[in-house]
Amino acid sequence: MPEPQSIGALGPSALANVMTGIRQKQEQGVTPGPIDDQPTPDEPGHPEYHRRRRAEWALGRWATATPPRYRHADADHPQVQAWADDVATNPDTAGSLLLTGTTGTGKTYQAYGALRRIAAAGPRVYEIRATTAADMYGLLRPKGSDRGTEEELRRLVKVPLLVLDDLGSAKASEWTEEVTYRLINERYNACRPTLYTSNLPARAANGAPDLTSALGERIVSRLSEDTRVVAMTGTDRRRRGAA
Protein backbone atom coordinates (compact mmCIF):
# COMPACT_ATOMS: atom_id res chain seq x y z
CA MET A 1 0.00 0.00 0.00
CA PRO A 2 1.53 3.37 -0.98
CA GLU A 3 2.39 5.80 1.81
CA PRO A 4 -0.07 8.71 2.19
CA GLN A 5 1.19 12.01 0.78
CA SER A 6 0.56 15.57 1.76
CA ILE A 7 -0.97 18.02 -0.67
CA GLY A 8 2.31 19.85 -0.85
CA ALA A 9 4.08 16.69 -1.96
CA LEU A 10 1.74 16.33 -4.95
CA GLY A 11 3.01 19.51 -6.49
CA PRO A 12 1.80 23.09 -7.06
CA SER A 13 -0.96 22.07 -9.47
CA ALA A 14 -2.70 19.81 -6.94
CA LEU A 15 -2.60 22.54 -4.28
CA ALA A 16 -3.92 25.07 -6.78
CA ASN A 17 -6.85 22.79 -7.63
CA VAL A 18 -7.77 22.45 -3.93
CA MET A 19 -7.63 26.20 -3.39
CA THR A 20 -9.74 26.76 -6.53
CA GLY A 21 -12.38 24.37 -5.17
CA ILE A 22 -12.49 26.21 -1.84
CA ARG A 23 -12.92 29.58 -3.60
CA GLN A 24 -15.71 28.22 -5.77
CA LYS A 25 -17.64 26.96 -2.73
CA GLN A 26 -17.20 30.33 -1.01
CA GLU A 27 -18.47 32.13 -4.12
CA GLN A 28 -21.52 29.83 -4.12
CA GLY A 29 -22.25 30.81 -0.53
CA VAL A 30 -20.97 27.59 0.98
CA THR A 31 -18.83 28.23 4.05
CA PRO A 32 -17.27 25.77 6.45
CA GLY A 33 -19.46 25.00 9.44
CA PRO A 34 -18.36 25.65 13.03
CA ILE A 35 -16.16 23.09 14.66
CA ASP A 36 -17.34 22.20 18.16
CA ASP A 37 -14.16 20.97 19.75
CA GLN A 38 -14.78 22.45 23.22
CA PRO A 39 -14.81 19.94 26.11
CA THR A 40 -18.12 19.13 27.78
CA PRO A 41 -18.63 19.25 31.57
CA ASP A 42 -17.84 15.52 31.62
CA GLU A 43 -14.49 15.92 29.88
CA PRO A 44 -11.09 17.13 31.15
CA GLY A 45 -10.47 20.74 30.26
CA HIS A 46 -13.95 21.95 31.20
CA PRO A 47 -14.09 23.99 34.47
CA GLU A 48 -17.06 21.99 35.75
CA TYR A 49 -15.24 18.69 35.23
CA HIS A 50 -12.34 19.86 37.39
CA ARG A 51 -14.66 21.37 40.01
CA ARG A 52 -16.36 17.99 40.38
CA ARG A 53 -13.00 16.24 40.77
CA ARG A 54 -11.97 18.74 43.48
CA ALA A 55 -15.32 18.24 45.23
CA GLU A 56 -14.91 14.45 45.25
CA TRP A 57 -11.46 14.77 46.79
CA ALA A 58 -12.58 17.38 49.36
CA LEU A 59 -15.61 15.33 50.43
CA GLY A 60 -13.26 12.40 51.04
CA ARG A 61 -11.14 14.61 53.29
CA TRP A 62 -14.29 15.82 55.06
CA ALA A 63 -15.46 12.26 55.73
CA THR A 64 -12.05 11.37 57.18
CA ALA A 65 -12.01 14.37 59.51
CA THR A 66 -15.65 14.06 60.65
CA PRO A 67 -16.69 11.91 63.63
CA PRO A 68 -19.18 9.15 62.66
CA ARG A 69 -22.02 10.87 64.53
CA TYR A 70 -21.83 13.85 62.17
CA ARG A 71 -21.26 12.03 58.86
CA HIS A 72 -24.81 13.00 57.82
CA ALA A 73 -24.49 16.62 58.93
CA ASP A 74 -26.07 19.14 56.61
CA ALA A 75 -25.91 22.90 57.07
CA ASP A 76 -29.55 23.90 56.69
CA HIS A 77 -29.38 27.23 58.50
CA PRO A 78 -29.45 30.05 55.89
CA GLN A 79 -26.76 32.12 57.59
CA VAL A 80 -24.48 29.11 57.97
CA GLN A 81 -25.03 28.25 54.30
CA ALA A 82 -24.19 31.81 53.26
CA TRP A 83 -20.95 31.79 55.25
CA ALA A 84 -19.94 28.39 53.86
CA ASP A 85 -20.56 29.60 50.30
CA ASP A 86 -18.41 32.67 50.93
CA VAL A 87 -15.58 30.52 52.31
CA ALA A 88 -15.75 28.24 49.27
CA THR A 89 -15.50 31.12 46.80
CA ASN A 90 -13.27 33.61 48.61
CA PRO A 91 -11.86 32.46 51.95
CA ASP A 92 -9.68 35.56 52.35
CA THR A 93 -12.70 37.83 52.77
CA ALA A 94 -15.30 35.43 54.21
CA GLY A 95 -14.38 36.11 57.84
CA SER A 96 -15.26 33.76 60.66
CA LEU A 97 -18.49 32.38 62.12
CA LEU A 98 -19.60 32.01 65.73
CA LEU A 99 -22.55 29.75 66.53
CA THR A 100 -23.94 30.39 69.99
CA GLY A 101 -26.73 28.70 71.88
CA THR A 102 -27.52 26.40 74.75
CA THR A 103 -26.58 22.73 74.80
CA GLY A 104 -28.22 20.59 72.13
CA THR A 105 -29.35 23.32 69.73
CA GLY A 106 -27.37 21.84 66.82
CA LYS A 107 -24.24 23.99 66.78
CA THR A 108 -21.77 21.17 66.15
CA TYR A 109 -24.09 19.59 63.59
CA GLN A 110 -24.24 22.86 61.66
CA ALA A 111 -20.47 23.26 61.94
CA TYR A 112 -19.73 19.91 60.30
CA GLY A 113 -22.49 20.58 57.82
CA ALA A 114 -20.76 23.82 56.87
CA LEU A 115 -17.48 21.97 56.30
CA ARG A 116 -19.35 19.51 54.09
CA ARG A 117 -20.99 22.26 52.06
CA ILE A 118 -17.62 23.91 51.47
CA ALA A 119 -16.15 20.60 50.31
CA ALA A 120 -19.07 19.96 47.94
CA ALA A 121 -18.41 23.31 46.25
CA GLY A 122 -15.05 22.01 45.04
CA PRO A 123 -12.75 24.72 46.46
CA ARG A 124 -9.19 24.94 45.14
CA VAL A 125 -7.83 24.49 48.68
CA TYR A 126 -9.48 22.25 51.25
CA GLU A 127 -7.41 21.72 54.37
CA ILE A 128 -9.44 21.51 57.57
CA ARG A 129 -9.10 20.73 61.22
CA ALA A 130 -11.86 20.33 63.78
CA THR A 131 -11.26 20.15 67.52
CA THR A 132 -12.84 21.14 70.81
CA ALA A 133 -11.46 23.88 73.02
CA ALA A 134 -10.81 21.30 75.74
CA ASP A 135 -8.81 19.08 73.39
CA MET A 136 -6.90 22.07 72.08
CA TYR A 137 -5.84 23.12 75.57
CA GLY A 138 -4.86 19.56 76.40
CA LEU A 139 -2.73 19.41 73.27
CA LEU A 140 -1.03 22.71 74.04
CA ARG A 141 -0.16 21.99 77.65
CA PRO A 142 3.39 20.93 78.50
CA LYS A 143 3.93 17.31 77.35
CA GLY A 144 0.54 17.38 75.63
CA SER A 145 2.16 16.54 72.30
CA ASP A 146 5.43 15.06 71.10
CA ARG A 147 5.66 17.89 68.58
CA GLY A 148 5.75 20.52 71.31
CA THR A 149 3.39 23.34 72.24
CA GLU A 150 4.65 25.90 69.76
CA GLU A 151 4.54 23.52 66.82
CA GLU A 152 1.00 22.43 67.64
CA LEU A 153 -0.11 26.04 67.98
CA ARG A 154 1.55 26.88 64.67
CA ARG A 155 -0.37 24.06 62.97
CA LEU A 156 -3.68 25.34 64.39
CA VAL A 157 -2.87 28.87 63.27
CA LYS A 158 -1.83 27.88 59.75
CA VAL A 159 -4.59 25.42 58.78
CA PRO A 160 -6.73 27.15 56.14
CA LEU A 161 -10.05 26.23 57.80
CA LEU A 162 -10.49 25.53 61.52
CA VAL A 163 -13.48 24.50 63.62
CA LEU A 164 -13.11 25.20 67.34
CA ASP A 165 -16.01 23.68 69.27
CA ASP A 166 -17.18 24.70 72.76
CA LEU A 167 -15.21 27.92 72.97
CA GLY A 168 -15.38 29.38 76.47
CA SER A 169 -16.20 26.04 78.14
CA ALA A 170 -12.83 25.57 79.83
CA LYS A 171 -12.03 27.03 83.22
CA ALA A 172 -10.62 30.49 82.61
CA SER A 173 -7.02 31.20 83.53
CA GLU A 174 -4.25 33.50 82.38
CA TRP A 175 -2.81 30.58 80.39
CA THR A 176 -6.04 29.69 78.55
CA GLU A 177 -6.66 33.35 77.78
CA GLU A 178 -3.14 33.77 76.38
CA VAL A 179 -3.32 30.64 74.24
CA THR A 180 -6.76 31.53 72.90
CA TYR A 181 -5.70 35.09 72.18
CA ARG A 182 -2.63 33.98 70.23
CA LEU A 183 -4.66 31.56 68.15
CA ILE A 184 -7.50 33.95 67.36
CA ASN A 185 -5.26 36.97 66.84
CA GLU A 186 -2.93 35.23 64.40
CA ARG A 187 -5.79 33.73 62.39
CA TYR A 188 -7.53 37.12 62.43
CA ASN A 189 -4.40 38.87 61.10
CA ALA A 190 -3.96 36.24 58.37
CA CYS A 191 -7.68 36.42 57.38
CA ARG A 192 -8.10 32.65 57.81
CA PRO A 193 -11.74 31.64 58.35
CA THR A 194 -12.60 29.91 61.63
CA LEU A 195 -15.90 28.44 62.78
CA TYR A 196 -16.44 28.69 66.54
CA THR A 197 -19.25 27.25 68.62
CA SER A 198 -20.06 28.24 72.18
CA ASN A 199 -22.76 27.74 74.77
CA LEU A 200 -22.15 31.36 75.79
CA PRO A 201 -23.35 34.46 73.94
CA ALA A 202 -20.71 36.87 72.70
CA ARG A 203 -22.05 39.48 75.11
CA ALA A 204 -24.86 39.26 77.63
CA ALA A 205 -26.83 41.85 79.56
CA ASN A 206 -27.24 42.14 83.32
CA GLY A 207 -23.87 40.58 84.06
CA ALA A 208 -24.84 37.11 82.83
CA PRO A 209 -21.95 34.84 81.78
CA ASP A 210 -20.75 35.46 78.25
CA LEU A 211 -17.64 35.01 76.12
CA THR A 212 -16.24 38.32 77.30
CA SER A 213 -16.21 37.15 80.90
CA ALA A 214 -14.88 33.72 79.90
CA LEU A 215 -12.18 34.77 77.44
CA GLY A 216 -11.42 38.43 78.04
CA GLU A 217 -12.18 41.68 76.26
CA ARG A 218 -9.27 41.63 73.81
CA ILE A 219 -10.30 38.22 72.42
CA VAL A 220 -13.95 39.16 71.96
CA SER A 221 -12.83 42.43 70.37
CA ARG A 222 -10.99 40.47 67.68
CA LEU A 223 -14.01 38.23 67.15
CA SER A 224 -16.45 41.12 66.89
CA GLU A 225 -14.75 42.73 63.90
CA ASP A 226 -14.91 39.99 61.27
CA THR A 227 -17.01 37.23 62.84
CA ARG A 228 -20.67 36.65 62.01
CA VAL A 229 -22.66 35.61 65.08
CA VAL A 230 -25.57 33.21 64.65
CA ALA A 231 -27.71 32.41 67.68
CA MET A 232 -29.02 28.85 67.58
CA THR A 233 -32.33 28.44 69.40
CA GLY A 234 -34.64 25.64 70.40
CA THR A 235 -34.75 22.82 72.91
CA ASP A 236 -32.04 20.24 73.49
CA ARG A 237 -32.26 17.94 70.47
CA ARG A 238 -30.50 15.14 72.32
CA ARG A 239 -33.32 14.98 74.88
CA ARG A 240 -36.23 14.99 72.47
CA GLY A 241 -38.38 11.97 72.97
CA ALA A 242 -36.58 11.04 76.18
CA ALA A 243 -39.53 11.98 78.34
Side-chain angles (χ1 to χ4, degrees):
M1 180 181 293
E3 293 292 328
Q5 294 179 300
S6 66
I7 292 177
L10 297 176
S13 60
L15 179 59
N17 290 336
V18 171
M19 297 304 297
T20 298
I22 292 175
R23 283 196 296 271
Q24 289 175 346
K25 288 183 178 180
Q26 290 175 339
E27 290 171 357
Q28 296 169 3
V30 179
T31 58
I35 299 175
D36 185 9
D37 59 355
Q38 295 299 312
T40 69
D42 295 324
E43 296 176 326
H46 193 285
E48 178 61 15
Y49 173 90
H50 296 288
R51 187 202 68 78
R52 291 174 185 172
R53 300 290 82 75
R54 292 195 303 269
E56 289 176 5
W57 182 86
L59 285 168
R61 290 291 300 270
W62 174 82
T64 300
T66 301
R69 185 170 298 280
Y70 298 104
R71 294 275 170 82
H72 299 289
D74 182 25
D76 55 10
H77 193 292
Q79 290 175 272
V80 177
Q81 291 177 341
W83 178 81
D85 293 343
D86 287 344
V87 172
T89 55
N90 198 341
D92 292 338
T93 60
S96 295
L97 181 69
L98 170 62
L99 303 179
T100 66
T102 55
T103 300
T105 50
K107 301 183 297 297
T108 304
Y109 179 91
Q110 292 292 326
Y112 280 105
L115 294 183
R116 181 180 186 174
R117 187 179 179 92
I118 295 168
R124 298 193 176 277
V125 176
Y126 191 74
E127 297 179 34
I128 61 173
R129 184 159 180 190
T131 186
T132 65
D135 286 340
M136 179 188 75
Y137 295 135
L139 189 68
L140 298 179
R141 291 188 185 280
K143 300 182 180 181
S145 168
D146 292 338
R147 292 191 179 94
T149 297
E150 289 302 316
E151 175 60 17
E152 291 293 358
L153 182 57
R154 187 193 70 81
R155 288 159 62 89
L156 289 168
V157 166
K158 296 291 186 181
V159 68
L161 181 56
L162 174 68
V163 170
L164 187 57
D165 210 4
D166 282 337
L167 184 64
S169 61
K171 183 178 180 180
S173 69
E174 290 185 7
W175 181 81
T176 58
E177 181 177 341
E178 186 63 29
V179 165
T180 308
Y181 174 77
R182 288 184 60 188
L183 173 73
I184 292 177
N185 183 61
E186 292 190 43
R187 293 189 64 83
Y188 163 85
N189 288 337
C191 298
R192 295 189 179 100
T194 309
L195 198 164
Y196 308 96
T197 76
S198 179
N199 290 344
L200 300 172
R203 297 184 186 276
N206 303 321
D210 58 15
L211 278 178
T212 304
S213 60
L215 302 176
E217 181 64 41
R218 60 178 182 165
I219 293 175
V220 175
S221 175
R222 292 293 189 282
L223 291 175
S224 64
E225 183 169 340
D226 77 335
T227 302
R228 312 178 200 185
V229 180
V230 177
M232 305 292 294
T233 59
T235 58
D236 188 339
R237 298 184 181 186
R238 300 186 185 99
R239 294 180 178 273
R240 289 178 184 174

